[in-house]
Amino acid sequence: MDALATTLTFPPSAPARPSGPVRGLDGYPQLDEHVFQLDERWVAEVTQSGLWVRPPRRETGADLVRGHPWTPASVRVFVGLPGDPPGPSVLPLLGALLARLPAATGMRVRLVPEPFAAAALPPRPAGPRWSWMSGAR
């Protein structure tokens, strides 16, 4: 399975922490073990469930974001601080970050808060179009 970090470490009485190389964030300056500088206004922190894109040195709601459990079906990308989502100016940076993720990881991204999902993710390929004809059966 394609993931951001190689493994999760489960310390006693604390949320799991990622360890190993972080795919998709290579090339960004690493500020500490789990935090990468995206630009002067944003960092990406690798959490047990995915990424937390937030302003540097601002960790309001960190326990909530870091404590969200890992699930194999999705990679959770939390944008902003809990209760204080950023404006649309983060969208180009977020789109560039998501484009760098391995393909199998990118397909499992779930953006939080939800309004960012429609704005930042590329459109999915169109499937067959169905039309309903009234009166015919």
Side-chain angles (χ1 to χ4, degrees):
M1 176 176 289
D2 220 351
L4 287 171
T6 305
T7 60
L8 288 175
T9 303
F10 293 87
S13 67
R17 294 301 294 174
S19 60
V22 181
R23 299 167 80 196
L25 292 175
D26 47 332
Y28 287 113
Q30 190 167 357
L31 302 178
D32 73 22
E33 188 179 3
H34 305 293
V35 181
F36 295 80
Q37 185 80 44
L38 301 177
D39 69 10
E40 67 280 350
R41 296 182 54 218
W42 297 99
V43 298
E45 178 178 339
V46 182
T47 67
Q48 67 173 322
S49 62
L51 292 174
W52 181 15
V53 178
R54 61 176 171 79
R57 298 174 300 283
R58 300 229 6 238
E59 298 188 14
T60 304
D63 290 342
L64 175 70
V65 176
R66 292 178 185 141
H68 194 277
W70 172 80
T71 61
S74 66
V75 174
R76 184 174 179 266
V77 178
F78 193 95
V79 184
L81 302 171
D84 187 19
S89 65
V90 72
L91 290 174
L93 178 121
L94 190 57
L97 173 63
L98 296 176
R100 293 174 56 118
L101 296 177
T105 301
M107 292 179 0
R108 296 184 355 259
V109 165
R110 180 175 162 259
L111 286 165
V112 181
E114 294 296 331
F116 283 96
L121 291 176
R124 299 202 185 263
R129 297 196 184 271
W130 298 93
S131 62
W132 297 95
M133 299 186 330
S134 63
R137 274 243 175 217

